[in-house]
């Protein structure tokens, strides 16, 4: 089921508490990532392209290099829904160990923030307070700020790289 993973993480923490919740959410997210990665491996690039068409190009371009740092960056900067990234990574045959380690590292900040957010939301319902509201709003701002900041950072790096090698983007886009 394709459902926003960050919402599932927050709900898991809300139900089980911050620390057991973050462990359960991490295990669930990695199991889901690996399962859909294997489905992508089975489908292959051609099979996946039949489902998603040219929209798949953005994701596969994000995986230009196959390795732990690349997977980590793709996880830190949400380029597409969680499950679609998993399918694409499997289809383009990123090594499974690199994929799982990069996914674990890249999900860690989101897991931590969303687990605290879910736990704080439940605490706020149980014991409403101005401090609780402030913490909840702060966690939301942190999650949004980190996501937007990383997207801007990656976008600027990509633009600088394309200015240094102007033909590189066209070459990548023309490859089927």
């Amino acid at each position: 089921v394709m459902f926003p993973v960050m919402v599932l993480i927050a709900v898991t923490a809300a139900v089980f508490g911050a620390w057991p919740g973050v462990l359960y959410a991490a295990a669930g997210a990695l199991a889901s990532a690996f399962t859909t990665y294997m489905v992508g491996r089975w489908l292959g690039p051609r099979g996946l392209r039949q489902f998603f068409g040219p929209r798949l190009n953005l994701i596969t371009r994000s995986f230009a290099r196959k390795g732990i740092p690349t997977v980590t960056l793709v996880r830190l900067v949400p380029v597409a829904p969680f499950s679609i990234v998993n399918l694409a990574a499997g289809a383009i045959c990123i090594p499974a160990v690199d994929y799982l380690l990069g996914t674990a590292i890249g999900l860690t900040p989101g897991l931590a923030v969303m687990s605290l957010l879910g736990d704080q939301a439940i605490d706020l319902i149980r014991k409403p307070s101005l401090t609780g509201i402030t913490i909840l709003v702060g966690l939301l701002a942190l999650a949004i700020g980190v996501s937007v900041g990383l997207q801007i950072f990656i976008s600027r790096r990509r633009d600088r790289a394309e200015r240094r090698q102007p033909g590189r983007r066209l070459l990548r886009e023309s490859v089927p």
Side-chain angles (χ1 to χ4, degrees):
V1 174
M2 291 189 188
F3 194 81
V5 73
M6 290 301 162
V7 173
L8 290 174
I9 292 167
V11 170
T12 303
V15 171
F16 296 104
W19 292 116
V22 76
L23 296 176
Y24 297 153
L30 288 174
S32 171
F34 187 68
T35 301
T36 49
Y37 167 90
M38 292 306 292
V39 170
R41 265 273 164 104
W42 177 72
L43 286 172
R46 186 169 286 151
L48 204 57
R49 198 163 306 283
Q50 288 176 349
F51 286 110
F52 298 107
R55 291 178 292 178
L56 188 61
N57 292 338
L58 172 66
I59 303 165
T60 55
R61 274 197 308 269
S62 298
F63 285 121
R65 293 189 185 114
K66 297 177 181 178
I68 295 170
T70 300
V71 175
T72 300
L73 278 175
V74 169
R75 287 297 179 206
L76 286 170
V77 180
V79 296
F82 185 76
S83 296
I84 295 172
V85 169
N86 301 336
L87 290 166
I92 63 172
C93 297
I94 290 178
V97 172
D98 289 359
Y99 178 72
L100 285 173
L101 286 173
T103 295
I105 294 166
L107 285 178
T108 298
L111 276 163
V113 170
M114 294 308 288
S115 291
L116 290 171
L117 190 102
D119 190 52
Q120 184 61 37
I122 292 300
D123 279 351
L124 189 59
I125 291 169
R126 286 186 193 135
K127 299 174 274 179
S129 71
L130 185 57
T131 303
I133 291 170
T134 304
I135 292 170
L136 186 66
V137 169
L139 287 170
L140 279 170
L142 177 66
I144 292 167
V146 168
S147 179
V148 169
L150 285 170
Q151 288 176 1
I152 291 169
F153 174 74
I154 297 299
S155 177
R156 287 182 181 167
R157 285 194 65 198
R158 188 180 305 134
D159 290 347
R160 272 189 245 128
E162 287 173 1
R163 278 193 299 257
R164 277 184 264 147
Q165 298 174 343
R168 185 173 163 204
R169 182 176 183 179
L170 295 174
L171 179 64
R172 274 191 289 161
E173 288 178 356
S174 65
V175 175

